Amino acid sequence: MIVTKSTAQIRPFAVAAVLRDITFTKDSYDSFIDLQDKLHQNICRKRALVAIGTHDLDTLQGPFTYDAKPPKDIRFVPLNQEKAMTGEELMEFYSTHAQLKVYLPIIRDSPVYPVIYDANGVVLSLPPIINGDHSKITLKTRNVFIECTATDLTKARIVLDTLVCMFSSHCAKPFTVEYCDVVSAAGETKQYPDLAFRKESISVAKTNAYIGLNESAEEMAKLLNRLLPTRQTDADTLEVEVPPTRHDMLHVCDIYEDVAIAYGYNRIPKTLPAKMHIAKQYPLNKLTEQLREQIAQAGFTEGLTFTLCSRDDIATKMNASIEQIPAVHIANPKTLEFQVVRTTLIPGLLKTLAANRKMPLPLKLFEVSDVVLADSKSEVGAKNERRVCAVNCNKTAGFEVVHGLLDRVMQLLEVPWDKATGYYLQACDDPAYFPGRCAAVLYKGTGIGRIGVLHPSVLQAFELTTPCSVVEFNMEYFV
């Protein structure tokens, strides 16, 4: 495979290998495709670092060229299609594809797209999007050409090693693989796959100390040989050979872990720590548990709702605009029910009420949990906020019920009704609440929540027909 200089603009690395005389069954073929999918999702970081292409070698003619061309100059028939498309047409065609649309942004805005073609100009693939239909693999395929293009050469080597090690067992001569010469843009030729073995030495005494065992070198060598080739070099040293199938072995600590696995975690003797430590519960969690118990004793039933919800749940249904809400959005939601991280606990409790509306009234629910708010000042761009939320659903709104609960909680927290040093209510307008029936909960002059009667349109959006009053506030101020 020849790598041209133009690939440096987008995906500069490529590795390749050939599996000869392979025999696919329906199960092994499905497993082969499944392995590629799993590698793409994990070590390949959804094809951003590495993209794998597998082809029927008998339909192609080497040598192969890995190039980068303008999208309009690339034209081929994509996998399982009948019409030839240019790079631009392909981007448009797959923009609505359920699986492939998420990979398009990787190269879409680049002036050139990576492409692999054979000596006859037949396009093998447009990494990391899709392979060509000409060289697709079927159950009748006997010789498989594997190519990996990447932005990270180390990851590409690991992926190629993993693929050939796992599926070379299906070759007529098991565990054999044919090397490919890859000529880099600098003109250097190297053979892939590497399939490199390396040796690591571990101390028996250290291994015993870290795990909490008292095994001899001979016994430990027997344990490790179940997982890795191991031999004893002296009274306290074992030499372990790490095969190319174990790229997860980064440090001797990983070998210690394999010893523990071979010995059996449940067999490791339990011992007290060598030093005494006094544990302390996280103050916020401690206060959360105390409030949960007290609110339950006040006659409310605890709910535990989903952290993720739809955009409509926190915006449209609450008479708000999603653009004005500091919500954290899920990049690739699998369902419309889980598009954002909740910014309020109210929708979850209202959906719980809707699911239990056949129960006798009154229905009084509460939840003490985290919400997540987008925060540009935070290191990760978002922050968690622990809130208390309670809903009273009855024939009448029962504002006094949630007001009484708020007063009880403040009494337990020893917070007085005082504008300067305690809490108080101040009338405010909120589209989610009935006009004139909403107040801000303030603590030492700072707004920490809302209390009021929900607007009928909000109740209707959540399929509720009985009035509801709600209180929700941030409890982190009282830790």
Side-chain angles (χ1 to χ4, degrees):
M1 180 184 282
I2 301 165
V3 181
T4 66
K5 292 182 180 180
S6 58
T7 57
Q9 300 177 63
I10 186 160
R11 296 173 81 84
F13 304 109
V15 296
V18 174
L19 294 176
R20 295 277 186 186
D21 298 321
I22 196 167
T23 302
F24 282 119
T25 63
K26 181 67 171 64
D27 288 342
S28 63
Y29 176 83
D30 290 343
S31 180
F32 189 55
I33 302 301
D34 191 45
L35 174 61
Q36 291 179 59
D37 289 340
K38 282 185 167 61
L39 289 171
H40 273 147
Q41 292 300 312
N42 294 292
I43 193 170
C44 299
R45 294 295 185 270
K46 296 185 178 179
R47 305 191 190 182
L49 296 183
V50 185
I52 308 164
T54 53
H55 312 275
D56 189 334
L57 184 61
D58 296 330
T59 64
L60 303 167
Q61 179 66 46
F64 304 99
T65 303
Y66 174 43
D67 201 356
K69 295 182 176 182
K72 60 183 176 59
D73 296 340
I74 300 171
R75 187 176 182 83
F76 68 103
V77 179
L79 187 66
N80 297 327
Q81 299 298 321
E82 297 178 355
K83 176 187 172 184
M85 305 180 194
T86 64
E88 294 169 335
E89 292 170 340
L90 188 140
M91 285 291 168
E92 183 64 29
F93 181 77
Y94 286 110
S95 61
T96 56
H97 192 277
Q99 285 78 39
L100 296 181
K101 66 180 180 182
V102 297
Y103 306 120
L104 302 185
I106 298 174
I107 63 169
R108 174 183 278 159
D109 297 328
S110 172
V112 292
Y113 290 176
V115 61
I116 300 173
Y117 52 89
D118 72 354
N120 297 324
V122 175
V123 173
L124 278 69
S125 66
L126 182 77
I129 310 303
I130 196 165
N131 292 342
D133 190 69
H134 178 84
S135 58
K136 68 180 178 184
I137 290 179
T138 66
L139 294 178
K140 296 179 180 179
T141 299
R142 289 294 169 264
N143 299 304
V144 178
F145 176 65
I146 304 171
E147 44 85 4
C148 299
T149 58
T151 57
D152 186 323
L153 181 58
T154 301
K155 294 291 189 295
R157 289 163 51 200
I158 292 172
V159 168
L160 186 64
D161 283 356
T162 304
L163 267 173
V164 299
C165 285
M166 294 189 73
F167 270 85
S168 57
S169 61
H170 295 279
C171 295
K173 188 178 179 182
F175 307 110
T176 57
V177 59
E178 186 174 313
Y179 288 104
C180 283
D181 290 333
V182 177
V183 183
S184 70
E188 299 175 353
T189 302
K190 188 167 182 181
Q191 287 187 330
Y192 292 100
D194 289 331
L195 300 178
F197 288 76
R198 79 173 197 274
K199 294 181 179 179
E200 294 278 359
S201 294
I202 63 168
S203 164
V204 174
K206 277 188 177 181
T207 306
N208 279 325
Y210 279 123
I211 302 173
L213 303 177
N214 188 25
E215 295 292 304
S216 64
E218 294 82 2
E219 287 300 318
M220 193 172 291
K222 287 181 182 178
L223 290 171
L224 263 178
N225 266 307
R226 298 178 187 177
L227 301 169
L228 298 165
T230 307
R231 70 183 184 91
Q232 184 179 352
T233 55
D234 60 46
D236 188 55
T237 307
L238 299 180
E239 186 180 78
V240 181
E241 190 173 45
V242 181
T245 54
R246 293 299 304 272
H247 284 286
D248 59 310
M249 288 284 174
L250 305 177
H251 190 272
V252 290
C253 290
D254 298 309
I255 300 176
Y256 299 158
E257 183 184 17
D258 270 18
V259 173
I261 291 170
Y263 185 82
Y265 283 127
N266 293 334
R267 292 180 58 211
I268 298 173
K270 296 178 182 179
T271 57
L272 290 172
K275 296 180 180 178
M276 293 298 293
H277 300 274
I278 300 174
K280 184 180 179 181
Q281 190 176 8
Y282 188 53
L284 181 60
N285 289 341
K286 183 178 180 180
L287 180 59
T288 297
E289 295 301 325
Q290 291 171 332
L291 285 180
R292 279 175 175 157
E293 182 179 353
Q294 291 298 323
I295 297 173
Q297 289 181 7
F300 284 76
T301 301
E302 185 173 13
L304 186 62
T305 60
F306 288 118
T307 305
L308 301 180
C309 61
S310 70
R311 295 188 183 98
D312 287 345
D313 286 343
I314 61 171
T316 309
K317 292 181 180 180
M318 299 294 289
N319 293 336
S321 171
I322 190 66
E323 289 78 15
Q324 298 173 351
I325 297 173
V328 177
H329 295 256
I330 307 301
N332 183 28
K334 300 297 182 186
T335 170
L336 294 176
E337 289 297 311
F338 303 123
Q339 296 174 310
V340 295
V341 188
R342 63 186 177 189
T343 57
T344 171
L345 300 177
I346 296 173
L349 290 180
L350 292 182
K351 286 196 281 188
T352 304
L353 283 175
N356 293 274
R357 54 178 174 263
K358 292 184 180 179
M359 298 290 287
L361 297 175
L363 288 171
K364 299 194 289 184
L365 302 180
F366 82 96
E367 184 171 5
V368 185
S369 293
D370 282 5
V371 299
V372 178
L373 305 173
D375 181 10
S376 58
K377 296 179 182 178
S378 172
E379 183 180 357
V380 295
K383 65 176 182 179
N384 282 40
E385 191 176 279
R386 188 69 54 86
R387 290 189 182 179
V388 177
C389 182
V391 179
N392 178 63
C393 179
N394 205 347
K395 293 179 181 179
T396 57
F399 175 77
E400 68 280 0
V401 176
V402 291
H403 194 331
L405 179 66
L406 176 65
D407 289 344
R408 173 59 179 159
V409 170
M410 293 301 176
Q411 182 186 39
L412 291 167
L413 294 170
E414 298 182 354
V415 177
W417 177 271
D418 185 270
K419 287 190 176 183
T421 61
Y423 79 103
Y424 62 100
L425 302 183
Q426 183 173 296
C428 69
D429 290 323
D430 190 311
Y433 294 85
F434 200 89
R437 300 283 184 89
C438 176
V441 181
L442 290 92
Y443 174 65
K444 295 182 178 178
T446 303
I448 63 170
R450 289 278 191 277
I451 184 171
V453 178
L454 289 176
H455 198 284
S457 63
V458 174
L459 299 176
Q460 186 179 8
F462 285 97
E463 300 178 2
L464 293 171
T465 56
T466 45
C468 292
S469 54
V470 173
V471 61
E472 182 180 31
F473 63 92
N474 181 1
M475 60 169 281
E476 294 182 6
Y477 287 88
F478 309 107
V479 177

